[in-house]
């Protein structure tokens, strides 16, 4: 046996024994002696892939495939390496070459399908996963990958069925349990979603996002068993730099802005890293008007649309040209039609890949691109990661930092973004003079006369209410509410009916605190105009912390219902204070739980004081800045102009304060 052959065999033995360092050394000797030894090149590539040294493996596999164009295994490995190096087109090309040589390998079809997913060509991805399972019906990962694609297509029920098939084959596949939880969550089956996340966490505690998804769903169910321990473990994970929680979920669980930044930065690094070659290249642009682009999933019947619609209509068209990029569904609603009409240019981009949308934005030479989603449902941060515009802004949808190097500014006001918090934001702070939140004065409130009996409310008792989503209700907040009910005889608390488990858990918690569970009344969903009108049946809105009422606070104030809030230490916990300041009711802002409870009880027991507050709100509603949308438009336009002026002067982004 020759020396080269012996060295090759020794390398093979080391590889089989998983002694990768030794195997690498031996195969490198062979390749050094015979640069055209394709088997040794392939095995050296396998060794480097096993050690996750993909960049070193790439030139070797390129040489191997150039020497032998007939090895499907070589092209398959080249595809894997390209995928790991973030080169999806190269990966697609190599997997396709492997399939042309050998179309009978399920793993190749499956991996090419994942590349189509990366390229957002979801129909082609599903077809590849179907080919994989046709070749190997027991291929759990292919079933799970198909399910993930179906979920991305909005087909949650079909995705759930595919996840069930994957788990029937391999019940220990943590990724499939996580995906099953996501599908169930989208279907509103929160109990089952929680159980699926729980199983995924038990199988793979470090699985990306599972810890936060589980805990957010648990909060949606108002299941507070073991909550302190759950939160402590999650915070330890976040502080360790792990992408264990989606940033949105953390807002209602933590009141530490520095942790929100850590969470966002870890999430962006893992899921939405900056593109190595930005689309925008710093070329000088000269337009007659500032080209202002808004990107959102929620150009439809949604809270964001109901807040911002009139702002779009009032933008000064002599100074700004408006572009709308809709990355969400067309629901055929009246508000959707109104929004489309409010833009100079509107593009429906739901079915278009991120790269295609970003290219269209770059081609349109947008000056300022505004992300109205942040980390909320349906967000597509990868569009912004491609940097299609010179100025990119985080606004309205997400009350916290994006932690992303490609987002230049966050828009807020002095209440939600105090200067002392600047270090908690990756963006530069833009502070508007009143509240950062726009409002639509055209929002209709139905004239239909509602009665309390229609909603199971007492004719004479005091009605406290909170229409915030259930995940915002923490035990401390609920305990405070129950102390208020205990102090106000005959009062009730009117809450949003999100799911039956949450209703049952909240009633159980009320009983445990000595409050008759029947004093909790739950409101179903209504048409927006009717929902606004039924606020008139309540006496006082009680806010949550650390995540305040946002749009729900504006709803209450627009419907002339006083809102009592407590200020927290983060953006999400200061929004209601911002709104109350802008509507001239700072007396409804408490700093402590004791102040909050004392003020709620006093207003409930002193009808004259409450009547005076209501009268003041009614007077201020249309005379103060909060609902002066035209004034708001001028202020935010001043902010946009300041951003552009800095850019055109060759200056980097910096903090901006807009004068009143």
């Amino acid at each position: 046996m020759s020396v080269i052959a012996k060295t090759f065999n020794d390398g093979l033995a080391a590889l089989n024994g998983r002694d990768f360092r030794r195997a690498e050394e031996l195969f490198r000797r062979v390749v050094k002696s015979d640069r055209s030894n394709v088997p040794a090149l392939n095995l050296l590539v396998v060794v480097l892939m096993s050690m996750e040294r993909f960049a070193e493996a790439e030139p070797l596999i390129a040489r191997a495939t150039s020497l032998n164009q007939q090895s499907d295994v070589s092209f398959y490995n080249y595809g894997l390496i390209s995928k790991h190096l973030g080169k999806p087109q190269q990966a697609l090309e190599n997997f396709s070459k492997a399939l042309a040589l050998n179309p009978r390998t399920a793993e190749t079809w499956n991996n090419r399908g994942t590349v189509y997913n990366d390229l957002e060509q979801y129909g082609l991805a599903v077809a590849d996963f179907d080919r994989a399972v046709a070749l190997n019906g027991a291929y759990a990962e292919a079933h799970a990958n198909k399910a993930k694609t179906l979920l991305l297509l909005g087909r949650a029920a079909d995705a759930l069925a595919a996840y069930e098939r994957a788990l029937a084959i391999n019940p220990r596949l943590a990724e499939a349990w996580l995906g099953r939880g996501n599908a169930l969550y989208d279907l509103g089956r929160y109990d089952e979603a929680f159980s699926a996340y729980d199983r995924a966490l038990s199988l793979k505690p470090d699985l990306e996002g599972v810890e936060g998804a589980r805990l957010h769903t648990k909060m949606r169910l108002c299941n507070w068993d073991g909550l302190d321990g759950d939160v402590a473990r999650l915070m330890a994970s976040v502080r360790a730099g792990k992408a264990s929680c989606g940033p949105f979920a953390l807002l209602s669980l933590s009141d530490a802005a520095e942790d929100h930044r850590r969470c966002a930065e870890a999430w962006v690094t893992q899921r939405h890293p900056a593109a190595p070659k930005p689309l925008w290249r710093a070329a000088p642009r000269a337009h007659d008007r500032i080209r202002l682009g808004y990107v959102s999933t929620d150009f439809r019947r949604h809270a964001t649309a109901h807040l911002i619609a009139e702002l779009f209509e009032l933008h000064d068209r002599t100074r700004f040209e408006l572009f709308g990029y809709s990355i969400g569904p067309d629901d055929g609603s009246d508000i959707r039609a109104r929004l489309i009409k409010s833009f100079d240019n509107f593009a429906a981009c739901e079915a278009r890949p991120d790269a295609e949308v970003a290219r269209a934005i770059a081609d349109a030479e947008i000056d300022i691109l505004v992300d109205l989603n942040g980390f909320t449902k349906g967000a597509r941060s990868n569009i912004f990661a491609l940097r299609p515009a010179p100025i990119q802004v985080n606004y309205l949808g997400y009350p916290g930092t994006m932690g992303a190097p490609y987002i230049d500014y966050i828009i807020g006001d002095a209440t939600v973004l105090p200067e002392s918090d600047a270090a908690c934001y990756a963006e530069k702070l833009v502070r508007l003079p009143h509240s950062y939140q726009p409002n639509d004065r055209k929002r209709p409130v139905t004239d239909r006369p509602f009665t309390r009996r229609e909603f199971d409310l007492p004719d004479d008792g005091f009605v406290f209410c909170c229409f915030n989503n259930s995940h915002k209700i923490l035990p401390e907040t609920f305990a405070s509410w129950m102390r208020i009910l205990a102090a106000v005889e005959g009062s009730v608390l009117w809450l949003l009916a999100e799911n039956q488990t949450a209703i049952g858990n909240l009633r159980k918690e009320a009983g445990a605190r000595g409050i008759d569970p029947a004093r909790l009344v739950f409101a179903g969903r209504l048409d927006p105009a009717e929902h606004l009108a039924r606020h008139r049946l309540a006496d006082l809105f009680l806010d949550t912390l650390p995540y305040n009422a946002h749009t729900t606070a504006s709803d209450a104030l627009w419907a002339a219902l006083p809102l009592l809030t407590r200020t927290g230490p983060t953006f999400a916990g200061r929004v209601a204070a911002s709104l109350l300041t802008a509507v001239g009711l700072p007396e409804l802002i408490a700093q402590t739980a004791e102040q909050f409870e004392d003020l709620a009880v006093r207003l409930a027991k002193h009808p004259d004081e409450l009547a005076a507050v209501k009268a003041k709100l009614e007077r201020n509603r249309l005379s103060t800045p909060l609902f002066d949308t035209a004034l708001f438009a001028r202020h935010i336009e001043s902010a946009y102009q300041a951003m552009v002026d800095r850019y055109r002067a060759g200056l980097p982004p910096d903090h901006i304060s807009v004068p009143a």
Side-chain angles (χ1 to χ4, degrees), residues 549-607:
H550 292 188
T551 304
T552 46
S554 283
D555 287 348
L557 297 172
W558 182 240
L561 173 65
L563 175 142
L564 177 60
T565 193
R566 181 156 69 98
T567 303
T570 67
F571 190 134
R574 294 177 175 141
V575 170
S578 166
L579 302 177
L580 286 167
T581 300
V583 83
L585 287 171
E587 60 267 34
L588 294 181
I589 304 169
Q591 301 303 318
T592 67
E594 292 75 15
Q595 290 176 2
F596 182 88
E597 292 169 28
D598 289 346
L599 184 52
V601 172
R602 191 174 83 234
L603 290 172
K605 289 186 173 182
H606 295 82

